[in-house]
Amino acid sequence: MLYMACTGVLGFATPPLNSSRRSKAHQKDTSFSCCSTSTSTDEQGTARKFTYSRASPAARWPHLKSTDTQHVSQKKMVYSEVKDEIEEESEDGAVSVDADGVEDKLFDKRLSRNKVKKMSKLALKRAKDWRQRVQFITDRILNLKSEEFVADVLDEKMVQMTPTDFCFVVKSVGQSSWQRALEIYEWLNLRNWYAPNARMLATILSVLGKANQESLAVEIFTRAEQSVGNTVQVYNAMMGVYARNGRFPKVQEMLDLMRERGCEPDLVSFNTLINARMKSGPSTPNLGIELLDEVRRSGIQPDIITYNTLISGCSRESNLEEAVKVFHDMEAHKCQPDLWTYNAMISVCGRCGLSGEAERLFKELGSKNFLPDAVTYNSLLYAFAREGNVEKVEEICQKMVKMGFAKDEMTYNTIIYMHGKQGRHDLALQVYRDMKSFGRNPDAVTYTVLIDSLGKASKMGEAANVMSEMLNTGTRPTLRTYSALICGYAKAGQREEAEEIFDCMRRSGIKPDNLAYSVMLDVHLRSNNSKKAMLLYEEMVRNGFTPDRGLYETLIRVLAGENNEECIQKVVEDLEEMHGLSPEMVSSVLTKGGSFDFAAKKLRLAITQGRTFDRENLISILTSYSLSGRHTEAIELLNFMQEHASGSQQFISEALVVIRCKAHQLDAALDEYYKNNNLHTFNGSYAMYESLIMSSGENECFAEASQIFSDMRFHAIEPSAEIYQTMALVYCKMDLPETAHHLFEQAEVKGLPLHDTSICTALVEAYGKLKQLEKAESVLGRLRQRCKIVDRKVWNSLIQAYALSGCYEKARAAFNTMMRDGPSPTVDTINSLLQALIVDGRLSELYVLIQDLQDMSFKISKSSIILMLEAFARSGNIFEVKKIYHGMKVAGYLPTMHLYRVMIGLLCRVKQVRDVEAMVSEMEEMGFTPDLSIYNMLLQLYTKIEDYKKTVQVYQRIQESGFEPDEETYKTLILMYCRDCRPEEAVSLMREMRQHGLNPDLDTYKSLIAAFCKKLMLEEAEELFNGLQTEGHKLNRSFYHLMMKMYRSSENYTKAEKLLESMKESGVEPNAATMYLLMSSYGSSGHPVEAEKVLNSLKSNGSNVSTLTYSSVIDAYLKNGDLEVGIQKLVEMKNEGLDPDHRIWTCFIRAASLCHSFSEATMLLNAVGDAGFHIPLRLLTENSMSLLSEIDCYLKTLEPVEDNAAFNFVNALEDMLWAFERRATATWIFQLAVKRNIYNHDVFRVADKDWGADFRKLSAGAALVGLTLWLDHMQDASLEGFPESPKSVVLITGNAEYNKVSLNSTLKAYLWEMGSPFLPCKTRSGILVAKAHSLRLWLKDSPFCLDLELKDNPIIPETNSMQLIEGCYIRRGLVPAFNDIKERLGGQVNPRKFARLALLSDEKREKVIQADIDGRKEKLAKLEKIGAMRERRIISRFSKNKFISSGVVSEAERGVLN
């Protein structure tokens, strides 16, 4: 409660509205005195203030016996709206002239001093010096001493005045002294020559209204002559008096009186009425539009003042919605806004925290040719000060001063408020001192703001000093000042001081308001002083104030703690009598106050008496029960209500669901929900759905949460931001990221604030699991547009998604972005980067990454090291695993049980028995006991190495350790017995396995059948096989193959045929895949005839023969060089009605690419054309661009085909076209393959600091095309200087062979023939690396790079331009030189040297090679000679040493020679 009270005090530095504040300080009443400091007018030596005796009604009309008490508005002031009264802009006053100058102009010095030059009435009206006359009289009156009277000036008649002039005098004087203005009015009414007029009456009423002298104004209006007072101006003035204090009912009465007397209201009347209504209290929805409609119903069109008054009122209440409605109505009715309008709109936007909108309006104001004034700048200043935007506030202040507006009191108060709110009290005090130094007088608001901010910071010493300074300057503390000080003391725990200030406030004549009472009541309650609290509570109630519900709850809580039932009963009576609370509401207050039992009894009593209960009150009671953890009592109460309360059963059921969810009884809550959900009339509440969804999400009941959310949407209940967020996370966990993403976007469209980080992290993780990386990237991309720095969790989830897909380059790019833009990466980020390389199988690059990270000052954590170790362990790289393991131990990272498990698992896989046993011993020495998984690894190890004795010993250790064998244990033991040719014991162990409730898998059965087959135990094998079929197991082809092998070995062909029939009946194709593999093996080993026999066997057996089986036979003949036989098999296949497909075409095209002559290739391609596929031959013989579209269409048909059909087909085409020098055509097809995603888009790249290529899996011809295109692109970049190259350029070739062709050897031969700077990588095989500088020079200067454009040879060569030799696909003309260089020099030859030798003639090359060999021999001989000389020197050195014996010398000699 204390917090509520303190925060309720004073947002003192609220922005100005549309009133202009005077730069001159107002006169202050300094007669105030306080307990600690007293200040009087006499003590300060100031002049005695003038008082007009007749201003008192008792002095003027004694027979009325009226009192001096003036009306005090009972309107409650909203503390956050300090200084928001609308001050009317003062009209242009009289022209300021010097008094002597006026006297010179108005008097004729030749006349008597007391005589005035008489003018006729007409001349007087036409005179243009009326301003000087008014100013002259005004100055004379205001310069009177307190004991002098107005009559002393007016009786002299020094200036001839009209009635209108006197009105201006009263108005002008009234701006400084309402008493003098009233004295002038009385003086005029006592003159016989003066005729009362409506203008004068309206003027004096306006002056008294501004001075807050309502009772005097009412008196004068009441006693005015009806003929004078019955004018619209007078009524408007009187309405303005009431409106100033927000007395809307009085203004309404005046308007009705006006109409009764036949005086029609004008627009000013309605504007005054609207002003009063906006000041009278909180506005209702659509109040502004209703007031405007009322004006229009009277036949009057609202003007700009009407709209401005409404918008200003909305600004005071921070009612942006209503202000916008009025503004739109204003635009709709073609009423152009003015500066006041924009000031009010800027103010309301600032109050509502929309500084951006306020700034937009400020700019719009300028675009409409309005010049901002001080009010505009102060309003905009407050908008940013409210947000604590110091830079913007300083910028606005500078601009304000630059535009000629000095900082006024409002400006300083706003800045002080901003600093105080931010806790920068030193700055606030500095601004306060600057304010005084610049001649601005701090007012009550200034001091109150300082006291309030210091009090909230518990700096009560400084706050007390500010209060003392305020009193010393003669500024009277206001109620808000005292309230701020009291709140500060209360918050700081200085309750005695708070109580002293409270008493001081009352002694000074300021009556406490509801806030002051509430704070002091809270102070007493916090000190558990129930006696003082009850006394203050009773005084508060007597004075017409009542605590809020929270204070009542606190009061009851204190009383309940003392078991003071009597006082609780009194408070309950007050709640029922004074507040009219029903028993249910009283029960709610009692419940929140901690008096649960009393509250429950009262509610039960009300229900028993047949009373209806209010749902909100019941919710409050249940909420209090829930917050206090008394869910059982809440459920009992609801069950009681279900039995005794009539109606509202659905509501009670929903409440039961909510309470059960909060009590973590989800199953019971779901049962209650489904029980009622079966009723078609059931329509749950938002709270029920929210509780069910949140509870289901917390308990990972995702399906139930999804169903409940669907029900909620079906019943048209709008979810909240929290539900949207929960369901988005639920759908992500259900691997439905698209649905989650849709909900997230829906919430954004509806403007619901969601926690971007958690949802985006979940979305990216879900998309990453599904390998939908583009969608994951889009989530982070949209988040980056909204946030300057994306949360680290989102970045980590994206990098983890890349890691799951093995996209290291993308993961590294994201990592680099984090390093550049923030936030900094963490251990999880680094681990994800490592994981990306691991998934992509690039384990050798892990060390490069680790080195890069260490160069960036990252410390490699233990988890990262373990991740690397596990990766190398999975790949079986025992050397690296051991190196990492020992490095960990040296670094002080002690192994864990998991690490030992990984190490032992790897060592077991690579069958390093001694290392495994040493690791187990080390683990036991470290205090770890092997678990069942480690024992299972040992069982598998000894089984693999066929050390069955140790296998049994490990099983005995398992039993001794008390472990129960699992499926893996039994499976390994059974496999051991099967391999040891002891299937009977294996069967016995399998029975034991079943007794323990473990079922063997099919692999175990297969091992047993294989063991029986190996020993030709037909009956046992058939029994086991038939048993599996009887049990309904779906046996695959391998089981039948085992049985068939057994029957073949036993020469029992009858049973083999029966088994084949059984295989077909079981729905298993018996021979297709098996025969294909068999034929492929025959073909690869050079036995095509055997492959054909298998094919004929399949035909004779009636098996379905496909192009797959034929392709294996045809490929076998073609690879063996039997081209005609291969063509014959193609014709045979067609004759059998089997249409060739891509497999056949690929075989023939690949064979054509390896043909020695073009005629042989043409023969093969003609055979393909005769079979109906003409594209390959046309590619060699035609230059039509239409071929590309045909190939494109054909590739499109191959894309959905499995087994990489399109990829293999394009590779074969590229080989053929390159071989027969159709290289431009090969380029087009290569680019077409990239376009169709057959080849990767980044197969080669020339980007900024990213030059590289990856030709793995490409055929030799495709790789040579891609290499040439890449070189061409890099040449262009080298000449143009963009894109910039990296330091090194990497070409990845891989180590694999494609159709017995080594891509690595092929590309090296091609590059070295050109003398390129590419060299093999020293750390990784299958990679060529060139330094970028050398590469650029070579591309610019080398004659081999003068023309890299691939062209078609217009004349097809008679022989193949390429030749396959030892897995290297090289230019045919280079083969002799290649063989010669390799045989004569051997080993690796420098690329430039190879290029130079290859281009020489045979005779010259022979001389160069011989010279090189001779040079090597000479060098070797010199080295041997130098070595012998060193040996002799060492021996002589030993022999000269007199302390060394000859035996030692001979020993040294032997050591050197060895």
Side-chain angles (χ1 to χ4, degrees), residues 1002 1025 1028-1029 1033-1040 1066 1068:
L1002 289 178
F1025 183 82
L1028 289 174
Q1029 286 184 320
H1033 289 283
K1034 184 69 175 178
L1035 303 180
N1036 58 26
R1037 192 171 289 107
S1038 61
F1039 282 90
Y1040 292 99
S1066 300
V1068 180

PDB file of all heavy atoms in Angstrom, residues 1002 1025 1028-1029 1033-1040 1066 1068:
ATOM      1  N   LEU A1002      15.541 -59.579 -35.090  1.00  0.00           N
ATOM      2  CA  LEU A1002      15.711 -60.448 -36.250  1.00  0.00           C
ATOM      3  C   LEU A1002      17.182 -60.720 -36.554  1.00  0.00           C
ATOM      4  O   LEU A1002      17.521 -61.786 -37.080  1.00  0.00           O
ATOM      5  CB  LEU A1002      15.045 -59.803 -37.473  1.00  0.00           C
ATOM      6  CG  LEU A1002      13.508 -59.792 -37.448  1.00  0.00           C
ATOM      7  CD1 LEU A1002      12.971 -59.079 -38.682  1.00  0.00           C
ATOM      8  CD2 LEU A1002      12.940 -61.201 -37.368  1.00  0.00           C
ATOM      9  N   PHE A1025      13.495 -71.080 -38.732  1.00  0.00           N
ATOM     10  CA  PHE A1025      12.970 -70.278 -39.830  1.00  0.00           C
ATOM     11  C   PHE A1025      11.446 -70.353 -39.875  1.00  0.00           C
ATOM     12  O   PHE A1025      10.760 -69.327 -39.985  1.00  0.00           O
ATOM     13  CB  PHE A1025      13.590 -70.771 -41.137  1.00  0.00           C
ATOM     14  CG  PHE A1025      13.176 -69.984 -42.341  1.00  0.00           C
ATOM     15  CD1 PHE A1025      13.802 -68.791 -42.663  1.00  0.00           C
ATOM     16  CD2 PHE A1025      12.155 -70.441 -43.172  1.00  0.00           C
ATOM     17  CE1 PHE A1025      13.424 -68.067 -43.779  1.00  0.00           C
ATOM     18  CE2 PHE A1025      11.769 -69.717 -44.276  1.00  0.00           C
ATOM     19  CZ  PHE A1025      12.404 -68.521 -44.593  1.00  0.00           C
ATOM     20  N   LEU A1028       9.765 -68.401 -37.050  1.00  0.00           N
ATOM     21  CA  LEU A1028       9.662 -66.958 -37.306  1.00  0.00           C
ATOM     22  C   LEU A1028       8.487 -66.646 -38.224  1.00  0.00           C
ATOM     23  O   LEU A1028       7.759 -65.667 -38.014  1.00  0.00           O
ATOM     24  CB  LEU A1028      10.964 -66.434 -37.926  1.00  0.00           C
ATOM     25  CG  LEU A1028      12.181 -66.374 -36.999  1.00  0.00           C
ATOM     26  CD1 LEU A1028      13.431 -65.989 -37.787  1.00  0.00           C
ATOM     27  CD2 LEU A1028      11.957 -65.355 -35.887  1.00  0.00           C
ATOM     28  N   GLN A1029       8.312 -67.472 -39.253  1.00  0.00           N
ATOM     29  CA  GLN A1029       7.180 -67.236 -40.155  1.00  0.00           C
ATOM     30  C   GLN A1029       5.858 -67.428 -39.435  1.00  0.00           C
ATOM     31  O   GLN A1029       4.897 -66.673 -39.645  1.00  0.00           O
ATOM     32  CB  GLN A1029       7.273 -68.181 -41.351  1.00  0.00           C
ATOM     33  CG  GLN A1029       8.364 -67.802 -42.348  1.00  0.00           C
ATOM     34  CD  GLN A1029       8.368 -68.698 -43.556  1.00  0.00           C
ATOM     35  OE1 GLN A1029       8.166 -69.916 -43.432  1.00  0.00           O
ATOM     36  NE2 GLN A1029       8.612 -68.118 -44.721  1.00  0.00           N
ATOM     37  N   HIS A1033       6.588 -62.828 -38.278  1.00  0.00           N
ATOM     38  CA  HIS A1033       7.683 -61.906 -38.566  1.00  0.00           C
ATOM     39  C   HIS A1033       7.808 -61.707 -40.068  1.00  0.00           C
ATOM     40  O   HIS A1033       7.689 -62.664 -40.850  1.00  0.00           O
ATOM     41  CB  HIS A1033       9.010 -62.438 -38.005  1.00  0.00           C
ATOM     42  CG  HIS A1033       9.077 -62.391 -36.525  1.00  0.00           C
ATOM     43  ND1 HIS A1033       9.311 -61.230 -35.810  1.00  0.00           N
ATOM     44  CD2 HIS A1033       8.942 -63.380 -35.600  1.00  0.00           C
ATOM     45  CE1 HIS A1033       9.320 -61.493 -34.526  1.00  0.00           C
ATOM     46  NE2 HIS A1033       9.098 -62.801 -34.358  1.00  0.00           N
ATOM     47  N   LYS A1034       8.039 -60.481 -40.479  1.00  0.00           N
ATOM     48  CA  LYS A1034       8.255 -60.159 -41.885  1.00  0.00           C
ATOM     49  C   LYS A1034       9.736 -60.324 -42.178  1.00  0.00           C
ATOM     50  O   LYS A1034      10.574 -59.476 -41.849  1.00  0.00           O
ATOM     51  CB  LYS A1034       7.810 -58.708 -42.165  1.00  0.00           C
ATOM     52  CG  LYS A1034       7.903 -58.319 -43.627  1.00  0.00           C
ATOM     53  CD  LYS A1034       6.878 -59.039 -44.476  1.00  0.00           C
ATOM     54  CE  LYS A1034       6.912 -58.539 -45.911  1.00  0.00           C
ATOM     55  NZ  LYS A1034       5.949 -59.267 -46.768  1.00  0.00           N
ATOM     56  N   LEU A1035      10.078 -61.459 -42.802  1.00  0.00           N
ATOM     57  CA  LEU A1035      11.475 -61.761 -43.054  1.00  0.00           C
ATOM     58  C   LEU A1035      11.923 -61.108 -44.357  1.00  0.00           C
ATOM     59  O   LEU A1035      11.205 -61.164 -45.369  1.00  0.00           O
ATOM     60  CB  LEU A1035      11.680 -63.281 -43.142  1.00  0.00           C
ATOM     61  CG  LEU A1035      11.227 -64.075 -41.905  1.00  0.00           C
ATOM     62  CD1 LEU A1035      11.471 -65.554 -42.107  1.00  0.00           C
ATOM     63  CD2 LEU A1035      11.938 -63.586 -40.658  1.00  0.00           C
ATOM     64  N   ASN A1036      13.096 -60.560 -44.332  1.00  0.00           N
ATOM     65  CA  ASN A1036      13.608 -59.928 -45.545  1.00  0.00           C
ATOM     66  C   ASN A1036      14.345 -60.949 -46.405  1.00  0.00           C
ATOM     67  O   ASN A1036      14.447 -62.132 -46.070  1.00  0.00           O
ATOM     68  CB  ASN A1036      14.513 -58.745 -45.202  1.00  0.00           C
ATOM     69  CG  ASN A1036      15.683 -59.148 -44.323  1.00  0.00           C
ATOM     70  OD1 ASN A1036      16.116 -60.294 -44.340  1.00  0.00           O
ATOM     71  ND2 ASN A1036      16.187 -58.193 -43.554  1.00  0.00           N
ATOM     72  N   ARG A1037      14.873 -60.454 -47.495  1.00  0.00           N
ATOM     73  CA  ARG A1037      15.476 -61.335 -48.486  1.00  0.00           C
ATOM     74  C   ARG A1037      16.698 -62.066 -47.954  1.00  0.00           C
ATOM     75  O   ARG A1037      16.993 -63.185 -48.372  1.00  0.00           O
ATOM     76  CB  ARG A1037      15.847 -60.518 -49.710  1.00  0.00           C
ATOM     77  CG  ARG A1037      16.228 -61.330 -50.917  1.00  0.00           C
ATOM     78  CD  ARG A1037      16.357 -60.452 -52.133  1.00  0.00           C
ATOM     79  NE  ARG A1037      15.050 -59.979 -52.568  1.00  0.00           N
ATOM     80  CZ  ARG A1037      14.607 -58.732 -52.418  1.00  0.00           C
ATOM     81  NH1 ARG A1037      15.389 -57.828 -51.829  1.00  0.00           N
ATOM     82  NH2 ARG A1037      13.413 -58.383 -52.836  1.00  0.00           N
ATOM     83  N   SER A1038      17.404 -61.464 -47.004  1.00  0.00           N
ATOM     84  CA  SER A1038      18.638 -62.089 -46.513  1.00  0.00           C
ATOM     85  C   SER A1038      18.368 -63.419 -45.832  1.00  0.00           C
ATOM     86  O   SER A1038      19.194 -64.343 -45.902  1.00  0.00           O
ATOM     87  CB  SER A1038      19.345 -61.131 -45.559  1.00  0.00           C
ATOM     88  OG  SER A1038      18.529 -60.847 -44.444  1.00  0.00           O
ATOM     89  N   PHE A1039      17.222 -63.559 -45.148  1.00  0.00           N
ATOM     90  CA  PHE A1039      16.898 -64.841 -44.513  1.00  0.00           C
ATOM     91  C   PHE A1039      16.742 -65.934 -45.572  1.00  0.00           C
ATOM     92  O   PHE A1039      17.238 -67.058 -45.417  1.00  0.00           O
ATOM     93  CB  PHE A1039      15.615 -64.707 -43.698  1.00  0.00           C
ATOM     94  CG  PHE A1039      15.798 -64.019 -42.380  1.00  0.00           C
ATOM     95  CD1 PHE A1039      15.663 -62.648 -42.265  1.00  0.00           C
ATOM     96  CD2 PHE A1039      16.114 -64.740 -41.238  1.00  0.00           C
ATOM     97  CE1 PHE A1039      15.832 -62.009 -41.053  1.00  0.00           C
ATOM     98  CE2 PHE A1039      16.282 -64.109 -40.012  1.00  0.00           C
ATOM     99  CZ  PHE A1039      16.145 -62.735 -39.922  1.00  0.00           C
ATOM    100  N   TYR A1040      16.029 -65.615 -46.641  1.00  0.00           N
ATOM    101  CA  TYR A1040      15.839 -66.597 -47.700  1.00  0.00           C
ATOM    102  C   TYR A1040      17.168 -66.934 -48.364  1.00  0.00           C
ATOM    103  O   TYR A1040      17.413 -68.087 -48.743  1.00  0.00           O
ATOM    104  CB  TYR A1040      14.853 -66.052 -48.732  1.00  0.00           C
ATOM    105  CG  TYR A1040      13.447 -65.931 -48.193  1.00  0.00           C
ATOM    106  CD1 TYR A1040      12.954 -64.722 -47.736  1.00  0.00           C
ATOM    107  CD2 TYR A1040      12.612 -67.062 -48.138  1.00  0.00           C
ATOM    108  CE1 TYR A1040      11.659 -64.622 -47.252  1.00  0.00           C
ATOM    109  CE2 TYR A1040      11.310 -66.960 -47.641  1.00  0.00           C
ATOM    110  CZ  TYR A1040      10.838 -65.736 -47.203  1.00  0.00           C
ATOM    111  OH  TYR A1040       9.562 -65.643 -46.717  1.00  0.00           O
ATOM    112  N   SER A1066       5.277 -65.060 -49.843  1.00  0.00           N
ATOM    113  CA  SER A1066       5.419 -64.117 -48.723  1.00  0.00           C
ATOM    114  C   SER A1066       5.494 -62.669 -49.187  1.00  0.00           C
ATOM    115  O   SER A1066       5.567 -61.760 -48.357  1.00  0.00           O
ATOM    116  CB  SER A1066       6.673 -64.455 -47.911  1.00  0.00           C
ATOM    117  OG  SER A1066       6.600 -65.764 -47.393  1.00  0.00           O
ATOM    118  N   VAL A1068       7.943 -61.376 -51.070  1.00  0.00           N
ATOM    119  CA  VAL A1068       9.317 -60.906 -51.174  1.00  0.00           C
ATOM    120  C   VAL A1068       9.842 -61.283 -52.552  1.00  0.00           C
ATOM    121  O   VAL A1068       9.820 -62.456 -52.929  1.00  0.00           O
ATOM    122  CB  VAL A1068      10.202 -61.528 -50.078  1.00  0.00           C
ATOM    123  CG1 VAL A1068      11.636 -61.025 -50.201  1.00  0.00           C
ATOM    124  CG2 VAL A1068       9.643 -61.237 -48.706  1.00  0.00           C
TER     125      VAL A1068
END
